[in-house]
Amino acid sequence: MEIAVRREDTVAIKKKKLITQDKVVNVIFHMIAVLMIIAVIYPLWFVIIASFSNPADVANGKVWIWPNVIDARGYQKLFEQSQIWKSYLNTILYTVTGTLVALFVNITAGYAMSRKDLPFRKWINLFYLIPMFVSGGLIPTYLVVKQFGLLDSFLVMVLPFSVSTYNIIVARTFFQNSLPDSLWEAAQIDGCSTLRYFVQFAVPLSKAVIAVVGLWTAVGLWNQWFNALIYLQNENLIPLQLLLRRILISNESLLGAATGTMAQELRQLSDMMKYASIVVSTLPIMALYPFLQKYFNQGVMIGAVKG
């Protein structure tokens, strides 16, 4: 009896130690997680409060959590630009249209390449992989775009660069690992065609990869300015990012020509407009991400674990 009691006491002590150790480990992990969240969120918050602060306070390290004096001159000067709302609308249209086109192209291509009965499947995979490592370069691409008559048009920001080999591979991997062959066999027994199976079964079961590819594409299109610089001449078609770049370069030019008190004022105004430009250009994408986070994490993990 005494030996049994001692064993029970020993087991109880070990359980208490394990519970205590688990609590300590959980506390440490939670502290690390909180520090990582602060490290990610604080720079974003600092940019926001800096855009409403006096640049001198920011430069002197007086702004940490909240602006000492709220100053919205950066936003005021930025929105005084007559073309900014037109450029904002252009960016929204490019992002929405380009994302839809890219999803249609990349998801359908990924599904086709995931099918084992696709003729010449290995050669098609190779055909998509080669441009991923070897690019034609800017001049040949420009000539191709010009020959297709897409220069200085809305479609030049949407069509020529909609195909992404990486996104196709992600979609292909998702379809291969997530859609069982038995589902396709059952659909065939019921007389389902390939197109109908893709529309009614594959797409509804692929919300995760659609969200991932859509978010990646939308972020890339929203931040796109180089293609607009090369292929657009019409001022009514330029996107927001290119306009903001022009404004900042113009401010730097004016700053280089100014002296004395005027130079100091222009420097402060230029700094405020820089912070305001960052907020204006990133806020819509930051607001979109929380709605897609669940699917985004799921899609990334599926590709990482099973790919």
Side-chain angles (χ1 to χ4, degrees):
M1 290 293 293
E2 292 181 359
I3 295 175
V5 171
R6 289 178 181 176
R7 287 179 178 176
E8 291 179 358
D9 292 340
T10 303
V11 172
I13 292 172
K14 289 182 178 180
K15 287 183 177 180
K16 289 182 179 179
K17 288 183 178 179
L18 290 175
I19 292 173
T20 303
Q21 291 175 358
D22 289 342
K23 289 182 178 179
V24 173
V25 171
N26 286 335
V27 170
I28 293 174
F29 283 164
H30 280 84
M31 291 176 63
I32 294 174
V34 170
L35 292 175
M36 292 177 64
I37 291 173
I38 293 174
V40 172
I41 292 179
Y42 181 73
L44 303 176
W45 175 247
F46 179 80
V47 170
I48 294 174
I49 61 176
S51 66
F52 288 98
S53 302
N54 190 315
D57 293 339
V58 177
N60 294 328
K62 297 180 180 179
V63 176
W64 289 91
I65 305 298
W66 194 257
N68 292 335
V69 178
I70 296 180
D71 190 346
R73 283 182 298 165
Y75 292 96
Q76 180 182 354
K77 292 295 182 181
L78 188 63
F79 289 125
E80 283 179 358
Q81 305 295 323
S82 59
Q83 200 175 357
I84 191 167
W85 296 113
K86 179 64 176 177
S87 299
Y88 221 121
L89 178 61
N90 289 338
T91 298
I92 294 173
L93 293 176
Y94 293 146
T95 302
V96 173
T97 308
T99 301
L100 293 176
V101 172
L103 283 175
F104 176 78
V105 172
N106 296 314
I107 297 298
T108 53
Y111 173 73
M113 292 170 62
S114 70
R115 294 292 301 269
K116 297 178 181 179
D117 56 349
L118 177 68
F120 309 106
R121 181 184 177 191
K122 293 183 179 179
W123 292 105
I124 294 175
N125 276 277
L126 183 63
F127 176 79
Y128 276 100
L129 282 174
I130 290 176
M132 187 176 181
F133 300 99
V134 182
S135 173
L138 180 59
I139 296 177
T141 304
Y142 182 89
L143 294 176
V144 170
V145 171
K146 182 179 180 181
Q147 288 178 356
F148 275 94
L150 296 176
L151 283 180
D152 210 22
S153 67
F154 177 87
L155 294 179
V156 76
M157 297 295 292
V158 175
L159 290 182
F161 311 99
S162 59
V163 178
S164 170
T165 303
Y166 182 79
N167 289 339
I168 291 174
I169 293 174
V170 170
R172 182 197 65 185
T173 304
F174 180 89
F175 287 123
Q176 286 177 341
N177 296 325
S178 301
L179 299 182
D181 294 336
S182 57
L183 182 62
W184 165 242
E185 293 172 359
Q188 276 186 312
I189 294 173
D190 292 335
C192 184
S193 64
T194 303
L195 180 60
R196 182 182 175 188
Y197 174 78
F198 173 72
V199 174
Q200 294 188 355
F201 294 94
V203 172
L205 294 174
S206 306
K207 294 180 181 179
V209 72
I210 290 174
V212 171
V213 174
L215 184 60
W216 286 343
T217 305
V219 171
L221 289 170
W222 185 270
N223 293 324
Q224 184 61 258
W225 63 271
F226 184 75
N227 288 342
L229 179 66
I230 299 298
Y231 302 110
L232 292 181
Q233 297 296 327
N234 189 343
E235 294 296 321
N236 293 324
L237 294 176
I238 65 172
L240 176 65
Q241 306 297 343
L242 181 58
L243 178 63
L244 295 178
R245 178 178 180 271
R246 290 180 179 178
I247 293 173
L248 296 179
I249 292 176
S250 176
N251 289 343
E252 292 295 330
S253 300
L254 292 174
L255 183 62
T259 57
T261 305
M262 181 178 293
Q264 183 178 0
E265 292 179 356
L266 287 175
R267 168 62 65 183
Q268 292 183 356
L269 184 60
S270 176
D271 291 340
M272 295 179 70
M273 291 184 68
K274 286 180 182 178
Y275 287 119
S277 300
I278 295 173
V279 175
V280 168
S281 60
T282 59
L283 191 60
I285 294 296
M286 291 174 60
L288 178 65
Y289 177 76
F291 297 99
L292 301 176
Q293 182 180 7
K294 178 179 67 174
Y295 300 112
F296 182 80
N297 294 337
Q298 181 182 354
V300 170
M301 287 305 298
I302 288 174
V305 175
K306 298 183 180 180

